Amino acid sequence: MPDSTESTQQPSAYVPQAAASQESAPPEPETRKPIIALILAILYLLISLINDGSTSVAFIIAFAVLPAVFCVLAFLDTVKAPKSRKRIITYIAIGVTVVSVVVFGGKMVAYKSHQKADHAARMAESCQSIEWPDSGLAQKLPAPEVLKGEVYDTSNSVSITLCKATKSMLDKYVEAAKKAGFAVDYYKSSDSYRAKDSEGNEISLWYSEDSEDGNTLRIHISGPQQDEESDSTDSSEKDEQQEKQQDEKDTQSQQSQQNEQSQQQSEQKDSSQVDPNFKATMDSYEKFFDQYVDFMKKYKDSNYSADMLADYTKMMQQYSDTMTKMDSIDQSTLSSADDAYYLEVLGRITQKLASVQ
């Protein structure tokens, strides 16, 4: 018979280890950044919903900087507590920020598509069939093969803009104008023609290629100038003056652009110095972030009081105005000094934002 004492003293084959294997859950992170990230993400979403889509990619990214930065900081602060409530809030803030970017982008694409459609409708409206003017000046010109566009008829001139033009239309019309007598003092280039007839009437032709507005051919004829040279003027002086006038007409648009550029360059300082208007815009941009950093420090010291959310909304409006000025800057016109100052300001702003962490 088996010993009863042995059976009673035999150790159990299974000992529960649940209590020993259980690990204590990590404490809830003390950081406030997930809550701040969620507030910024919600404000960003509200702005994206209010926006009509007339914005740029840079504008969308600029507004996403603050919520994105705090989402990253909140994510890093909750790494050791992946199942905590604040980690869940961080995920929600990230999701709201992503949705806001999608809403912004969708509205921007829809707005631009609507603009293109409106532009195409306007171009189609302006490209209708026309009748060749029956005035005296227009009768001196041959009618082109395609009569679609717009007509501007005055007592001493006629201007016609033909749409859906081709380069061959210009070449054919130049030959037709020559046959009609417009071959005196002529000037011809690859996309223009200018000449007079024996009566002093002047014709000008311009061919223009445009991917958005379409190719056009402009025909302009005007009557003789009223202030003709007197017969007593020396012939050499007349030839010289006519040549000068012809050169001025040929390069009129180029000279106008050069004069504008020269005037701007004379008013601006040396390229080694920052443009005053650009500096003022960048200083305003930096000033906003100074106010933002002060606000966030005050907000943090006040234990994140909800009463300060109204002040934050006003600050976001200031941020919107500042970014509008930033978007209006033509970066292709910035000098090397402007670029250097731009990077300098961004560096200072980055350091200031880091101090809020």
Side-chain angles (χ1 to χ4, degrees):
M1 293 181 62
D3 192 348
S4 60
T5 59
E6 290 183 4
S7 62
T8 57
Q9 294 179 358
Q10 185 176 0
S12 173
Y14 172 75
V15 177
Q17 299 293 327
S21 61
Q22 259 188 344
E23 296 182 0
S24 59
E28 188 77 17
E30 297 181 358
T31 178
R32 301 277 186 173
K33 293 184 180 67
I35 299 176
I36 299 176
L38 181 59
I39 293 174
L40 294 175
I42 292 174
L43 289 174
Y44 183 44
L45 178 60
L46 292 175
I47 294 173
S48 68
L49 294 175
I50 297 172
N51 186 268
D52 61 356
S54 58
T55 183
S56 62
V57 176
F59 186 85
I60 298 174
I61 296 175
F63 263 98
V65 168
L66 291 178
V69 167
F70 274 93
C71 283
V72 172
L73 295 177
F75 186 87
L76 295 176
D77 286 352
T78 56
V79 167
K80 296 182 179 180
K83 297 183 179 181
S84 64
R85 181 175 60 88
K86 292 184 177 178
R87 185 57 174 264
I88 296 175
I89 294 176
T90 301
Y91 285 138
I92 296 174
I94 294 173
V96 174
T97 302
V98 172
V99 170
S100 302
V101 173
V102 173
V103 172
F104 255 127
K107 285 192 172 184
M108 182 186 69
V109 172
Y111 179 83
K112 291 185 176 180
S113 298
H114 181 69
Q115 274 192 326
K116 289 182 178 179
D118 286 347
H119 180 73
R122 289 194 300 270
M123 292 304 302
E125 184 178 354
S126 64
C127 189
Q128 300 293 331
S129 298
I130 60 174
E131 293 184 1
W132 191 254
D134 56 359
S135 64
L137 287 176
Q139 289 179 350
K140 296 179 179 295
L141 294 175
E145 297 177 355
V146 179
L147 285 176
K148 287 187 176 182
E150 296 176 321
V151 179
Y152 304 94
D153 193 359
T154 66
S155 59
N156 196 43
S157 65
V158 178
S159 295
I160 301 171
T161 301
L162 301 178
C163 59
K164 298 182 180 180
T166 62
K167 192 66 176 296
S168 61
M169 285 176 58
L170 171 65
D171 296 335
K172 291 180 179 179
Y173 201 81
V174 168
E175 295 302 322
K178 289 181 178 180
K179 292 180 180 179
F182 290 91
V184 179
D185 297 333
Y186 73 89
Y187 168 83
K188 186 179 185 304
S189 66
S190 60
D191 54 6
S192 65
Y193 180 77
R194 185 177 293 108
K196 294 181 180 180
D197 63 3
S198 59
E199 299 177 358
N201 300 308
E202 183 176 3
I203 184 177
S204 299
L205 307 176
W206 299 275
Y207 173 73
S208 176
E209 294 183 351
D210 194 312
S211 58
E212 293 185 359
D213 296 341
N215 301 342
T216 57
L217 175 61
R218 292 179 174 85
I219 304 172
H220 178 81
I221 180 173
S222 57
Q225 296 181 357
Q226 298 299 324
D227 51 346
E228 296 287 341
E229 296 288 340
S230 63
D231 295 336
S232 59
T233 304
D234 184 77
S235 59
S236 61
E237 293 179 354
K238 288 176 71 175
D239 294 339
E240 183 178 356
Q241 185 173 3
Q242 288 177 355
E243 182 179 358
K244 182 179 179 181
Q245 290 176 348
Q246 188 67 39
D247 292 337
E248 289 177 352
K249 291 177 182 178
D250 295 339
T251 60
Q252 182 177 4
S253 59
Q254 296 179 356
Q255 287 179 347
S256 177
Q257 294 177 356
Q258 291 175 356
N259 291 336
E260 290 179 0
Q261 293 176 356
S262 300
Q263 184 176 0
Q264 292 176 356
Q265 292 175 357
S266 63
E267 293 176 354
Q268 293 177 350
K269 295 184 177 180
D270 187 75
S271 60
S272 61
Q273 297 182 357
V274 181
D275 180 80
N277 294 331
F278 176 74
K279 186 177 185 301
T281 302
M282 293 303 301
D283 291 344
S284 174
Y285 186 59
E286 185 177 8
K287 183 179 179 181
F288 166 79
F289 280 99
D290 290 338
Q291 295 175 351
Y292 170 76
V293 170
D294 293 340
F295 172 83
M296 293 305 301
K297 289 180 179 179
K298 181 180 178 182
Y299 187 41
K300 186 176 181 181
D301 294 339
S302 66
N303 293 325
Y304 305 92
S305 173
D307 297 336
M308 299 182 67
L309 287 179
D311 296 335
Y312 181 81
T313 302
K314 295 179 180 179
M315 185 170 299
M316 291 304 295
Q317 180 60 43
Q318 296 177 5
Y319 181 68
S320 176
D321 296 339
T322 302
M323 290 309 303
T324 300
K325 295 180 181 179
M326 292 289 293
D327 286 340
S328 65
I329 297 176
D330 186 359
Q331 296 184 358
S332 63
T333 62
L334 298 182
S335 64
S336 57
D338 294 338
D339 288 333
Y341 189 69
Y342 175 78
L343 296 176
E344 178 184 342
V345 171
L346 287 185
R348 290 199 298 264
I349 291 175
T350 302
Q351 293 178 354
K352 293 171 184 177
L353 289 175
S355 67
V356 185
Q357 300 179 13

